[in-house]
Amino acid sequence: MDKVISGGKHLLFTCIHFFLSVVGIIALGAAPALFNGLSLNITHYYLTFGNLVQKLLEPSSLTYSYYKVVRPLFPEILIRYKESLFIFSSSFIVSLLLAIVIVYSLTRINPRVVNRIKQCIVYLEALPDILIIMTLQLSVVWLFKKTGILIVEVAAAGDQKIRALPIICLSIPTTIMFTKILLLRIEEEYEKPYVSLANSKGLSHFTVFFKHVLRNVLLRFFFFTKTNIWLMLSNLYIIEYFFNSIGLFIFVKDYNSIETFTVALLLIYVPIFIYFKVFSLFTSHLLKEVV
Amino acid sequence: MWYYFIRQKRAVTALLFLVTLVVLSIGNSVIHDGEIRRVSLLFDEDGTVSAAPFAPSAEFLLGTDRKGYDLLHLIIEGAKWTIGAGLLITFMRIFIGLLLAITLAKFNKPLFRSFESFFDSFSVIPMTMISYFLLQHVLTFSNGTTPEPFYLRVGFQMMILIIFAVPTITFYLGNEIKLLLNEEFVRSAKILGGRYPHLLRKHIAPHLNPILIILFLQQFIQVLVILIHLGVLQVFFGGTIVFHGGDIDSVTHEWTGLLGMYYPSFMSHP
């Protein structure tokens, strides 16, 4: 009985938090109305806010306009959303797998080399993603000029979809970031007594790493992954711009109105919110010691 | 700490390099009034004419662009804006965030959580998107029209870049302070009659300082990345001048803006 009550309470709080967050997003989406040129305009902001809420309650009334041609927002933005989501999730998975492989191989080699590599990672992290994008784009073009083989598309035109290069570009900085975090956490984890117990029992390095250490680390990694998501999203924005892909962010950039902006923000935010809530619901007992 | 810092030769060299650039840059505005050397035509000894852009040579260390502006000179002129603005924005972000965090950490848990979820969206949504959305109309203007005064534009841009990062920093620091407040030594200090300001100064600050330094560096990189993103999207620090025919120019010649400005020429003449 006690458990049910506390569960219900938890659910109630989650709902309240969700509601507050959505209100926060709408307030953020209406922010452009606050600035009229360079001066503040609070009444206009207030009106826009109300207007926005009204429109959002009735999704079919949402539109976007392109040179005075007004079209309904809804099926279109979802198509764009799918494209962005595809690039985002595939590069998330790719970088995570890569990072795990890198970290695994790092645990097998000489610690002095590992220190060297760590220093390199620090330098690589300071490298702006734009440089990576430009270098990749140019090297593909250069290779095409030299050999006549176009490995991947460099930019998209019209309705064409471009996926390979954006995913690679997004994966490189993300992989570096993931590697750094995982390496740090895994080194902490290796200090714990259960690892030496497993080693002394004669379990192979591979088993200890993948069956015991990685499991514990990944759980925490997923829980504290918010900053990573933030960084990836902001890289994705610029990547979509560079490759002219037809993702959500470019949609918002091209047809910028308050409604498109807010809907896009909601589309980005809601899945992340659900992810974190569900995750904390199922693993809260496991993470008690951490939080 | 200073002693430790000075012993690291690489860090000192980097710092000296940046300081020299900034000093040169400020000197440039004082002596040359911010003018940039421009040579569009050059005559050889035997009378042949060559036109800009010039490749790097003894006279132009880094070459010139298509309009004949000396690139090294441009970089020096831009240095003070990039470094100055970056540092100022970062400092203000953390300062405001810290003040708010200190206030918020005193609140009880439900209220704190409510605030946190209200501003939760800030921690997920890309800064570039918001700032581009807000700044684009204010900062871009075409050649010949009279825009808002310069200091207002810069102030507005800085304000936007500061405000939208403050919530994330506030809640990060707030959570840290809350954790520290629950430590045993803080509790015993409280029992002995320490008030909140005393606790902050004597017990929280020593633990918070390293976090603040790391946060400062992180935020500085983040500010520069956002400025670069905006530069690529052709919203330059201080304003973008759009000429007839789609040519663009930056008002402050700030580095990240230069990057965005010369990206097209980089792509067409690799």
Side-chain angles (χ1 to χ4, degrees):
Chain A
M1 194 62 205
D2 225 23
K3 217 172 184 181
V4 175
I5 289 174
S6 90
K9 217 173 158 187
H10 192 78
L11 199 68
L12 183 69
F13 272 116
T14 310
C15 287
I16 291 174
H17 288 170
F18 182 68
F19 177 72
L20 277 174
S21 309
V22 169
V23 172
I25 288 178
I26 297 173
L28 183 62
L34 188 59
F35 306 108
N36 179 21
L38 285 176
S39 52
L40 285 179
N41 193 339
I42 290 172
T43 42
H44 188 210
Y45 178 70
Y46 190 67
L47 285 176
T48 319
F49 187 82
N51 215 342
L52 202 57
V53 173
Q54 231 168 37
K55 276 189 179 169
L56 284 174
L57 288 176
E58 211 180 327
S60 56
S61 71
L62 289 165
T63 53
Y64 71 96
S65 58
Y66 179 62
Y67 288 118
K68 287 177 188 159
V69 183
V70 180
R71 295 185 193 138
L73 183 65
F74 249 95
E76 180 65 22
I77 200 168
L78 289 180
I79 297 168
R80 305 290 193 114
Y81 181 55
K82 223 172 70 190
E83 186 72 21
S84 285
L85 203 66
F86 178 78
I87 293 179
F88 179 82
S89 45
S90 39
S91 74
F92 189 90
I93 294 166
V94 167
S95 359
L96 190 61
L97 290 180
L98 264 179
I100 289 173
V101 171
I102 292 173
V103 170
Y104 175 68
S105 40
L106 282 183
T107 53
R108 300 303 300 263
I109 57 176
N110 190 336
R112 269 179 59 195
V113 184
V114 173
N115 267 335
R116 271 284 166 73
I117 292 173
K118 265 195 219 155
Q119 276 178 0
C120 280
I121 288 176
V122 170
Y123 282 113
L124 281 177
E125 250 202 337
L127 210 71
D129 48 329
I130 285 188
L131 275 181
I132 298 174
I133 301 171
M134 283 204 225
T135 331
L136 273 178
Q137 240 177 353
L138 277 178
S139 51
V140 169
V141 170
W142 180 80
L143 211 70
F144 178 65
K145 260 184 172 174
K146 289 277 168 193
T147 59
I149 312 164
L150 194 61
I151 311 170
V152 280
E153 289 292 327
V154 184
D159 270 350
Q160 197 187 353
K161 282 176 183 166
I162 170 165
R163 279 167 175 178
L165 213 50
I167 291 175
I168 297 170
C169 280
L170 190 55
S171 300
I172 291 174
T174 321
T175 310
I176 296 171
M177 201 163 64
F178 283 1
T179 312
K180 193 182 154 199
I181 298 167
L182 278 181
L183 197 64
L184 205 81
R185 292 213 184 278
I186 278 182
E187 275 179 351
E188 268 174 22
E189 200 73 14
Y190 262 99
E191 313 256 300
K192 289 187 179 167
Y194 77 89
V195 180
S196 8
L197 175 71
N199 277 331
S200 63
K201 275 172 84 179
L203 296 180
S204 72
H205 189 84
F206 187 84
T207 331
V208 174
F209 185 84
F210 282 97
K211 261 201 151 168
H212 300 284
V213 176
L214 192 65
R215 261 191 213 170
N216 293 337
V217 168
L218 274 190
L219 200 65
R220 253 198 270 175
F221 174 78
F222 278 120
F223 196 73
F224 294 106
T225 197
K226 208 171 211 170
T227 344
N228 307 338
I229 290 179
W230 183 87
L231 267 170
M232 280 183 76
L233 281 175
S234 62
N235 285 348
L236 185 62
Y237 183 89
I238 214 73
I239 282 170
E240 280 187 4
Y241 174 77
F242 263 106
F243 292 107
N244 202 10
S245 95
I246 47 167
L248 180 68
F249 294 111
I250 290 309
F251 186 79
V252 175
K253 184 183 165 282
D254 287 347
Y255 314 108
N256 54 355
S257 69
I258 290 173
E259 292 105 64
T260 12
F261 187 67
T262 318
V263 171
L265 290 189
L266 281 174
L267 282 178
I268 298 167
Y269 181 72
V270 170
I272 296 174
F273 181 85
I274 292 171
Y275 163 80
F276 275 106
K277 280 299 165 196
V278 169
F279 200 82
S280 71
L281 206 68
F282 283 114
T283 55
S284 56
H285 61 287
L286 293 172
L287 286 159
K288 270 270 157 62
E289 34 157 1
V290 181
V291 183
Chain B
M1 207 193 112
W2 274 113
Y3 180 69
Y4 179 73
F5 184 76
I6 284 167
R7 276 206 326 208
Q8 290 194 314
K9 287 213 179 71
R10 225 181 298 167
V12 174
T13 334
L15 191 72
L16 271 181
F17 178 66
L18 288 183
V19 169
T20 329
L21 270 179
V22 172
V23 169
L24 276 177
S25 174
I26 293 171
N28 190 42
S29 347
V30 174
I31 298 165
H32 286 288
D33 205 22
E35 286 288 318
I36 286 154
R37 189 161 69 132
R38 181 177 182 181
V39 182
S40 30
L41 286 175
L42 209 65
F43 294 95
D44 269 0
E45 281 160 0
D46 47 335
T48 40
V49 185
S50 51
F54 302 113
S57 60
E59 195 170 346
F60 307 104
L61 274 180
L62 294 176
T64 72
D65 70 349
R66 260 177 305 164
K67 287 179 211 149
Y69 286 114
D70 188 347
L71 285 185
L72 179 65
H73 210 148
L74 268 179
I75 286 174
I76 289 176
E77 166 68 18
K80 60 173 177 289
W81 296 106
T82 309
I83 297 168
L87 284 180
L88 191 63
I89 292 172
T90 319
F91 179 75
M92 286 307 285
R93 275 181 175 186
I94 290 177
F95 183 69
I96 298 174
L98 187 64
L99 282 186
L100 288 176
I102 288 169
T103 340
L104 276 179
K106 282 291 278 181
F107 287 9
N108 58 358
K109 206 178 165 194
L111 203 59
F112 186 80
R113 289 261 170 250
S114 308
F115 269 112
E116 198 175 7
S117 48
F118 183 75
F119 289 108
D120 197 26
S121 51
F122 282 83
S123 62
V124 172
I125 283 140
M127 268 288 289
T128 322
M129 192 162 133
I130 305 170
S131 36
Y132 179 71
F133 194 55
L134 288 172
L135 290 173
Q136 167 200 27
H137 297 297
V138 182
L139 291 180
T140 353
F141 47 88
S142 43
N143 190 22
T145 54
T146 42
E148 314 278 345
F150 176 69
Y151 64 92
L152 262 181
R153 270 179 282 141
V154 170
F156 183 72
Q157 177 162 19
M158 283 186 150
M159 196 183 80
I160 297 272
L161 290 181
I162 291 166
I163 285 180
F164 285 100
V166 160
T168 326
I169 295 174
T170 303
F171 289 108
Y172 173 67
L173 288 176
N175 278 321
E176 290 290 336
I177 294 177
K178 260 181 149 16
L179 275 182
L180 285 172
L181 280 177
N182 278 331
E183 295 274 352
E184 246 162 56
F185 59 87
V186 176
R187 282 193 188 169
S188 53
K190 217 187 268 175
I191 289 167
L192 289 174
R195 297 237 170 111
Y196 193 48
H198 172 82
L199 289 181
L200 281 177
R201 215 173 33 230
K202 291 283 176 190
H203 300 279
I204 308 275
H207 293 269
L208 211 58
N209 279 342
I211 298 177
L212 284 179
I213 290 171
I214 294 171
L215 191 69
F216 189 86
L217 294 177
Q218 267 179 357
Q219 289 291 321
F220 187 57
I221 293 175
Q222 228 177 67
V223 168
L224 288 185
V225 166
I226 289 167
L227 282 176
I228 290 177
H229 284 180
L230 286 177
V232 170
L233 294 167
Q234 304 188 338
V235 175
F236 303 140
F237 186 77
T240 311
I241 311 167
V242 180
F243 290 110
H244 194 66
D247 247 359
I248 45 171
D249 199 2
S250 155
V251 175
T252 50
H253 303 296
E254 184 265 339
W255 288 352
T256 56
L258 291 178
L259 194 79
M261 206 162 101
Y262 291 121
Y263 178 67
S265 48
F266 181 65
M267 283 316 269
S268 46
H269 312 280

